[in-house]
Amino acid sequence: MVNSKQKRSGPKLPVKQLAILAVARFAEPLALTSVFPYLPEMISSFGVEKDEVARWAGITGAVFSISQSATAVPWGRASDKVGRKPIILIGLASTMCCFLIWGMSTSLPMAIAVRAIMGSGNGNVGIIRTMVAELVPEKELQPRAFSIMPLVWSIGSVFGPAFGGFFARPVERRLFGGAFENIEWFKRYPFALPNLVACFVFFISFMTGLLFLKETLEGKRHRPDWGLALGEKLTRSFHPRPSHRTRRRSFVDAEASAPLLPTSPTRPSRHPSKSHATPPTYSEIFSPQTIINLISYTFLALHSVAYDQVLPVFLNYPPQIPDSSNTHLPFKFSGGFGLTSDKIGTIYTVYGIACGIIQFFLFPILCARWGVLNCYKAATMVFPLVYLLTPYTALIQDTTMRYTAFLTIMLLKGIVVIVAFPCTTIMLTNSASSVRILGTLNGYATSFSGLGRAVGPALTGAVFSVGVQRGYVIAPWWMLAGIAMMGAVPAWFIVEGEGPSRGDSESEDGSDGEEETLVSGESEEDEDEALEAISDGESVSGDEDAPLRAGRKGRKYGGCD
């Protein structure tokens, strides 16, 4: 009983808000990865030569990242002033409109222009990361909290390539028994259908965020929100007796519910100007550890995203039977897999399912066992090996063996990506000196990673085109391996910090972190516990203390014990 009470009174994940944030996040990976299977065919339909498809696919991806990088800091600063929720909703609405226009692109300049506008109108990556940090300041809960958004990305990556490859070119492929053959619009815009489906998902994410997502910025948290008010009215019929539940809980566990009554109403006026009166200075934002983490994150985004964007081009590239005239191992050979968009979509679906399973079950265990920093160091050492081996799968002539080898390498890449991105996000957040700089810091993180995501695909696409023209398909992959090796160096200089929950804004009132966590739970403690059990991969093994060990391991191995 005592142990049960201790667990009940300890910090808990705000599962309901994290789930709502995940729904708002879900549309982006779904829509962005839906492009991968048909992008080579789309660029070819603009009249681009086969050997030049990789170059222009890389440029198309780079334009999006450059635009996103250029606007990430302004979006982050805007979220620090007007709140996180309005900026997230603007980003969702902007991307939804751009995706519809992207599907109707009829030329390469139009496609590139739309991608540029799409990137500049969405700064949600850094802002959502900031919201997670503000919702979960407790370090022992961070491995689970920060693994949720990459898990959402993995789930979106399952469905995105699947429907992207499935719905592309519906007239040519006689989709649904030729249901689209008589619709002239789909003949004119063969890649519009997957984007229409994506827009519908974006609309669901937008409405979920509008009606149910709560503001996390301290200065704006208690302002009136007509969206939340409307959401409450719409869902009131599903909660017939809320007051009875609240009174019963307070009677049974007065300790847990008592802080909800006196602290919440008075909190906004206690320090209204201290935290947000002046913008954070560069010296606050860019500490030595923050700089190292940003460099590490930029390298990771550069080579990881470049691999993902050039891989469909490699899979779509015509195969080549190796002989003495075109192959001189171990370096000179060419050819790809010769797959169409629907088959590429199937491969990405298998890859996404595997990544989701890894994220849900393996990542918390690895963090609990070895700590966040050590897991990240290990991941950085595996990336070069994956990149070096990928092109050699095209040499295997037996179909079964070729796909087995390729999917094994993809699965290994999925494991290290799933480990690396949440780990670097946790370490970057914990390197911040104060909660009040998180929005701006994550804006800079999005900018720097956007720079990496711009340079990586553009450079890799250009090298791929030059390489296959000269018979060296290994060129882009070995270049990525070299970049990944350089990116592994900063990992060994990282020291995991104590986290922004111990910064300025919290030192003003030592009890703020604990009380805000209790307030965010409101009167839905039982529901949150049930949802938390579902979302927690550790509950399968019955080990409820594993997340706490994850936090302790992170501190121990991070050198901050």
Side-chain angles (χ1 to χ4, degrees), residues 47-294:
V48 177
E49 295 284 338
K50 195 69 178 176
D51 287 350
E52 294 293 316
V53 167
R55 185 196 306 273
W56 288 107
I59 290 173
T60 304
V63 164
F64 175 87
S65 298
I66 289 172
S67 301
Q68 191 176 54
S69 175
T71 58
V73 173
W75 283 124
R77 289 191 181 276
S79 77
D80 285 338
K81 292 181 180 179
V82 304
R84 318 299 186 198
K85 180 176 176 176
I87 304 302
I88 285 180
L89 294 178
I90 290 171
L92 288 172
S94 169
T95 309
M96 178 174 64
C97 296
C98 287
F99 254 99
L100 182 59
I101 301 172
W102 159 263
M104 295 187 290
S105 297
T106 54
S107 65
L108 189 59
M110 179 181 177
I112 292 174
V114 173
R115 290 288 286 181
I117 297 170
M118 189 187 304
S120 62
N122 190 328
N124 285 1
V125 175
I127 298 169
I128 287 177
R129 189 183 302 126
T130 301
M131 291 191 76
V132 173
E134 289 170 337
L135 284 168
V136 187
E138 298 85 5
K139 195 172 180 182
E140 63 268 27
L141 298 180
Q142 286 179 346
R144 281 189 296 166
F146 279 100
S147 69
I148 291 174
M149 295 309 147
L151 175 59
V152 172
W153 180 275
S154 297
I155 296 172
S157 300
V158 172
F159 296 100
F163 82 73
F166 180 77
F167 289 115
R169 300 179 295 110
V171 177
E172 289 180 44
R173 296 175 46 238
R174 292 184 54 81
L175 193 63
F176 300 125
F180 298 93
E181 283 184 343
N182 296 323
I183 304 177
E184 190 64 30
W185 195 73
F186 287 112
K187 292 180 183 178
R188 187 176 179 185
Y189 306 114
F191 303 103
L193 186 57
N195 291 278
L196 284 175
V197 178
C199 286
F200 175 72
V201 179
F202 266 104
F203 179 76
I204 293 175
S205 294
F206 178 86
M207 293 306 298
T208 301
L210 177 68
L211 298 176
F212 305 111
L213 185 62
K214 296 178 181 177
E215 180 60 65
T216 60
L217 183 64
E218 184 179 354
K220 307 291 184 181
R221 192 177 301 163
H222 301 282
R223 68 181 176 184
D225 188 330
W226 66 266
L228 282 178
L230 179 59
E232 271 186 40
K233 289 181 180 179
L234 293 174
T235 58
R236 189 171 295 164
S237 58
F238 298 100
H239 303 286
R241 290 177 297 175
S243 58
H244 173 72
R245 289 183 59 192
T246 304
R247 286 195 303 269
R248 179 173 55 81
R249 184 178 299 107
S250 180
F251 176 77
V252 173
D253 191 359
E255 261 188 290
S257 60
L260 299 178
L261 301 176
T263 58
S264 177
T266 59
R267 184 163 309 285
S269 62
R270 293 181 63 179
H271 301 285
S273 59
K274 255 187 171 181
S275 295
H276 300 282
T278 57
T281 63
Y282 286 111
S283 59
E284 285 181 281
I285 299 168
F286 296 111
S287 67
Q289 277 301 306
T290 298
I291 293 172
I292 295 173
N293 275 283
L294 286 172

Side-chain angles (χ1 to χ4, degrees), residues 11-13 132-133 135-147 363 367-368 371-373 423 425-432 495-502 506 513 517 546-561:
K12 296 180 179 67
L13 283 174
V132 173
L135 284 168
V136 187
E138 298 85 5
K139 195 172 180 182
E140 63 268 27
L141 298 180
Q142 286 179 346
R144 281 189 296 166
F146 279 100
S147 69
F363 176 72
C367 275
V372 171
L373 182 56
C423 285
T425 300
I426 291 171
M427 292 186 297
L428 178 63
T429 299
N430 288 340
S431 71
V495 177
E496 195 177 359
E498 289 292 334
S501 59
R502 301 189 183 194
E506 195 172 350
T517 303
L548 299 177
R549 288 200 302 273
R552 289 194 292 268
K553 290 279 184 181
R555 286 192 291 271
K556 178 180 177 183
Y557 290 103
C560 299
D561 195 19

Side-chain angles (χ1 to χ4, degrees), residues 386-415:
V386 169
Y387 301 155
L388 289 172
L389 294 177
T390 296
Y392 290 95
T393 57
L395 291 173
I396 303 173
Q397 297 304 299
D398 181 77
T399 304
T400 304
M401 288 297 298
R402 181 166 65 250
Y403 283 106
T404 300
F406 177 75
L407 288 173
T408 300
I409 292 173
M410 276 196 79
L411 179 62
L412 182 59
K413 201 261 184 179
I415 292 173

